[in-house]
Amino acid sequence: MLYAHAMSLIHFVLAMVLWSLGVALISGTSQAWFVDELSVQGKDEARKIVIPIVQTLALIVGAAAALASTWLVMKSIVWPLRVGGWTSIITGISILFLLRENYGEKSRSIKEALWKNAKDFMQHPFLRMVLLKSASGGIMFRIFVLSWQLYMIQALRLPESFLGAALTMMVLSLAGGNTLATILMRRIHPIKVSVIGLVGVTMGLLMIGIWPNIWPFAAGVVLLELGLGIEQGAFYVWVHDFIPNKQRASFISAISSVESLMGFMVPIIIGLFIENVGFQPTWFFAALSAGLTAGLVMAIANMKSKEE
């Protein structure tokens, strides 16, 4: 809300600080609450169905919100921000009064919790591997997000009007991947479903890199987004098996922090990379990152099977 009505640089800075603080506080908490609530009710297996469906619905709502924002901007540039602000306020109040608290061990101080979480991360091999997987996957994802529009316009020489259709195709493919993850996890372990998704991502990136034409690009993007949807739908199911209930929110936030760090570092590097070596080697580098991520997930699966 402050961002919508900011009239000076100080207002903008304050708005962004509050925005960042809010994102940091909510990161990981909603999913941690939901998974813990399922455990309390003895419905752990429901994760395999519910989490991918929720992610699919979130994508659909996000696409609808993007279309609504286009209409709201015609009225005023501040209207999308106002609607977003009020939606967040109403959502926060609803969560406060409608959902019950299920988090344990409230007697620990923040300092004690941070120290224990950091210690557990360093001592737990699974959690270290998950962080490495998140970092590697974050590199691949950021490269694609930062490059696909430039690639369409500069390399494929497509008009800017094609960007909207391409984005719609990506969102639908991503939603389809989340739905497919639900189906696959009924027959295959979620970790193996993650590997299947990452193989699809790798193949999609290789298609884009090998054949610099519009149709291989379209096919590669669909395969990539399907793979991303499958991987994301499965990852947030199996990762909770490695995380202690009382530290779930903290650990999921740590994973989000690693992905955010990649989001900060990759843009600094990727522009220079494309300028010096071109788009095609960039796609191959992203494919290498996706392949490495698949390898890390397979290593996690191997560690898990040996432990059992």
Side-chain angles (χ1 to χ4, degrees), residues 64-74 80:
L67 292 174
S69 296
T70 304
W71 176 72
L72 288 170
V73 166
M74 296 179 184

Side-chain angles (χ1 to χ4, degrees), residues 120-149:
D120 286 346
F121 257 119
M122 293 302 103
Q123 294 178 345
H124 203 304
F126 289 116
L127 296 176
R128 291 200 302 269
M129 291 292 284
V130 167
L131 283 185
L132 286 174
K133 178 264 177 196
S134 298
S136 178
I139 292 173
M140 166 269 297
F141 179 72
R142 299 297 174 182
I143 289 175
F144 176 73
V145 167
L146 293 168
S147 303
W148 73 268
Q149 297 183 52

Side-chain angles (χ1 to χ4, degrees), residues 44-52 181-182 185-186 188 190 237:
D44 287 314
E45 287 299 309
R47 277 183 290 167
K48 297 179 181 179
I49 299 174
V50 177
I51 290 179
T182 304
M185 283 188 290
R186 293 173 182 171
I188 306 173
V237 171

Side-chain angles (χ1 to χ4, degrees), residues 31-288:
Q31 191 175 111
W33 178 90
F34 177 71
V35 172
D36 284 341
E37 190 65 19
L38 287 177
S39 296
V40 169
Q41 297 183 18
K43 299 178 180 178
D44 287 314
E45 287 299 309
R47 277 183 290 167
K48 297 179 181 179
I49 299 174
V50 177
I51 290 179
I53 291 176
V54 169
Q55 291 177 331
T56 300
L57 291 175
L59 288 168
I60 294 172
V61 171
L67 292 174
S69 296
T70 304
W71 176 72
L72 288 170
V73 166
M74 296 179 184
K75 293 180 174 292
S76 172
I77 191 67
V78 301
W79 266 105
L81 297 170
R82 286 175 179 170
V83 172
W86 278 113
T87 302
S88 298
I89 291 171
I90 293 170
T91 302
I93 293 173
S94 300
I95 289 172
L96 182 64
F97 288 102
L98 297 179
L99 303 182
R100 67 173 184 174
E101 178 62 77
N102 62 10
Y103 199 70
E105 211 171 335
K106 304 178 186 66
S107 59
R108 281 194 304 169
S109 67
I110 294 177
K111 181 180 178 181
E112 290 172 335
L114 288 174
W115 171 251
K116 188 176 190 314
N117 291 343
K119 185 179 178 181
D120 286 346
F121 257 119
M122 293 302 103
Q123 294 178 345
H124 203 304
F126 289 116
L127 296 176
R128 291 200 302 269
M129 291 292 284
V130 167
L131 283 185
L132 286 174
K133 178 264 177 196
S134 298
S136 178
I139 292 173
M140 166 269 297
F141 179 72
R142 299 297 174 182
I143 289 175
F144 176 73
V145 167
L146 293 168
S147 303
W148 73 268
Q149 297 183 52
L150 289 173
Y151 183 72
M152 284 184 65
I153 294 171
Q154 295 183 7
L156 299 181
R157 306 292 182 183
L158 297 174
E160 294 180 3
S161 58
F162 276 43
L163 295 177
L167 183 59
T168 302
M169 178 180 67
M170 291 177 192
V171 172
L172 292 175
S173 299
L174 194 62
N178 274 279
T179 303
L180 189 55
T182 304
I183 298 171
L184 290 172
M185 283 188 290
R186 293 173 182 171
R187 302 183 179 185
I188 306 173
H189 192 282
I191 294 184
K192 294 181 180 178
V193 174
S194 265
V195 174
I196 292 171
L198 288 166
V199 169
V201 171
T202 305
M203 291 174 62
L205 288 166
L206 288 174
M207 284 183 66
I208 298 171
I210 294 171
W211 296 291
N213 297 299
I214 181 171
W215 294 115
F217 172 76
V221 165
V222 169
L223 185 57
L224 183 152
E225 292 289 342
L226 274 173
L228 275 178
I230 293 171
E231 199 284 321
Q232 289 175 0
F235 173 69
Y236 284 107
V237 171
W238 62 260
V239 72
H240 291 287
D241 293 333
F242 302 112
I243 301 175
N245 288 345
K246 295 177 182 179
Q247 296 161 287
R248 197 179 305 280
S250 300
F251 285 0
I252 293 297
S253 294
I255 292 170
S256 299
S257 298
V258 170
E259 293 171 348
S260 298
L261 180 62
M262 293 301 103
F264 171 75
M265 295 175 61
V266 172
I268 298 174
I269 301 170
I270 195 63
L272 293 172
F273 199 82
I274 292 174
E275 185 177 344
N276 286 283
V277 302
F279 282 105
Q280 304 314 118
T282 303
W283 296 127
F284 291 133
F285 181 72
L288 178 63

